[in-house]
Amino acid sequence: MKQQLKPISISLLIYIAFVILIGWKLTWFSNQSDTLFSQYGIIEMFKRLFNFFINDASFSPLREGILLVSFGAIILVSFWTIFLKFRQQLIALLVLDFVLSFIILADAIYFRYFEDLISSAVLLQIKQMSSLGSSVGDLFSWKDFLLFADVLLFTALLIVFFKKVQLKKNANPALRLATGLLAGAAGAWLFFYPLHDFVQKGGAYLFDKTLSSMRVYEVTGLFGFHGFDTYKYLDEYVLNKKEVSAKDRKDAKQWFDDKTKEKVVQTLYEGKAAGKNLIMVQLEAYQSFVIDKKVNGQEITPNLNKLKKESLYFNDIHHQTASGRTSDAEFSANTSLYPLATGSAYVRFPRNEYDSLPYILKENGYDTAAFHAYKPGFWNRYIVYPNLGFNEFHSIEDFDEGEQVGWAIGDESFLTQSADKMKDMKDPFYSFLIALTSHYPYTMPAKYQTLDIDDVGDVNLRNYLQSVHYVDQAIGTFIEKLKKDGLWENSVVVFYGDHDTGYMQSKTPSTIFANEEGDQLGELEVKDGIPLFMHVPGVEGKEIDKAGGQIDIMPTLLHLFGLEKKNYHHIGNNLLDGKEGSVVFRYGSVKTDSYYYKSSYDLKLQNGTCYDINTRQTVSVDTCKPLYDTSVEELSISDDVIFGNLVEQWHKTEK
């Protein structure tokens, strides 16, 4: 009997060491993402498990964190190694150690930039990640590779001692099988019972809608998320391709019909841009905290500060992007719909039809073109743009070779060359330009580092300020070019930011620099804040203090151009109508002119935080319930429109 127990005991000890080691790596990821791994220590957890089994205590406190599901997932992906003979088990565990460590590290690196996890939809965009080049490299720290220290050590030991690493007798196959099955059953319980308890207490919505990868992670753990995400992708796109139900289609149509019936507010701005050209420029990672800001007596954005006085400037606008980042911003600005929770609509649904801005302007006799000095295949733009209604797409191949600043030719050259190309367009026209120089990691050639800011923040903030200062100079050159070419006085010119810097986490030097209020609400407000300028010939400059987002850009422009009265399918609102402002963020948070609701990862109302913007204090979350209900409804409607390609269906029935 001892001869049988010894080999299985050694095998189990090695296996337990593996489980603990991977568990430690998951706690490392939890620290990296500032998420809760366990509310209790190991000893306290076992005490509570004992009370649950013996004294019928509540299980819910055990779900405060992801310790149970995380260890359950580790066991579920590895218990089969116990079935193997000793040396085979060592090799299998070593391979698993490498694979699981790689997944943990990849998610950590991705989270540092996107504050999200790598989903199946994101993997479809992997070529976008490869184009990030040095940007990805800058997200790494040498300490990250300590995750693989054990893999290298054990690989070396296994190579040296491979022939010696064996027992005189392997455990009885039946004993290995029974032990492995018992471990698998324990893993299944640890993983599935917490999920069962969560679903039983009303959590099924989280898996039905999947509004956020991080919200799923907060319940399933890292490996559990990837398992669920893979299952969901295969179910929706391979086995049972997701279809929007007839009821959801009907509800969505009714929602838009009701919105259309709302009384249109007449304003002094309506039709002021009728017949004008539209030139809209999306600025890379441009945030509103730099506008009118001085550092060591120097204006960071002198040209935009000047433009602000001559334009409609919206001072409470926020980006609404998710993992699609830049593509999400241009998608929302041109369709007035929300981006997807995971992945980019450009990649997942590149041939969808929308009531887009270029489509509408084209219907009204406009020539349309998009300009971006980068690869045409990036974010599927060469496929998406014709479907959106752009007649032409000028990508990197269409621009003269110029000085590379950042990813491509500098914004000054890009903008002036684009202005030259506009002279060949038919009036009136819509030109959509995507600037690129101020892209992460914001490192600029020394000759363009013209701000004296060596004593400001950290290197990340200093690099960012130098890059946006350069782009501001490029904008000044661009405006002068438009004036010289006679385009300025006959064009509405729009500038807005696409997303945040990536450095706006709590208490970072960038957030501290931006947050003049110095409180927690201030952190939330500056984190997603972006500038929005609309220069309209003949309209005096005015600063408009109203909460809004990128989905509101298009309805506002349609109002200015006098084209908003048709039954278009837009979720955004006209920022000029004088009504209460509101902006819904992709992951459930909502800001109005009066309140800010910060959603929790589990998307439960009671677990969020509600701020009164006037007093800057927290109030009962029930105060923010209407905001919460709005976010859930609007995000769901938008997702149904995209997943079901509903606009195309509605266009067919309207003809």
Side-chain angles (χ1 to χ4, degrees), residues 16 27-28 46 114 167 203 229 284 287 305 308 317 321 328 354 363 368 524 539 541 572 601 642:
I16 291 170
T27 65
W28 173 84
F46 275 110
F114 292 103
L167 296 175
D229 176 66
E284 176 64 38
Q287 295 212 244
N305 296 346
K308 175 183 170 183
I317 304 301
T321 70
D328 284 350
Y354 305 102
E363 271 194 329
T368 56
L524 294 174
V539 174
Y601 280 135
I642 298 170

Side-chain angles (χ1 to χ4, degrees), residues 100-159:
L100 298 180
S101 298
F102 180 82
I103 292 172
I104 294 169
L105 178 60
D107 277 313
I109 299 304
Y110 189 81
F111 184 88
R112 285 172 192 167
Y113 191 80
F114 292 103
E115 294 190 18
D116 203 3
L117 300 177
I118 300 175
S119 65
S120 298
V122 168
L123 288 176
L124 291 176
Q125 302 164 190
I126 195 66
K127 62 182 180 180
Q128 323 294 347
M129 296 298 293
S130 66
S131 296
L132 292 177
S134 62
S135 299
V136 174
D138 290 329
L139 294 171
F140 283 91
S141 165
W142 69 268
K143 294 180 182 178
D144 296 334
F145 295 99
L146 293 177
L147 283 176
F148 296 93
D150 60 309
V151 179
L152 296 174
L153 176 62
F154 293 135
T155 299
L157 291 175
L158 196 58
I159 291 173

Side-chain angles (χ1 to χ4, degrees), residues 278-311:
L278 172 59
I279 301 171
M280 187 154 73
V281 184
Q282 178 170 292
L283 302 173
E284 176 64 38
Y286 233 82
Q287 295 212 244
S288 53
F289 70 81
V290 298
I291 306 300
D292 281 338
K293 187 94 166 182
K294 288 186 177 181
V295 56
N296 292 338
Q298 307 156 99
E299 285 186 285
I300 300 171
T301 59
N303 290 296
L304 285 174
N305 296 346
K306 179 182 177 182
L307 178 66
K308 175 183 170 183
K309 298 173 184 178
E310 306 167 355
S311 306

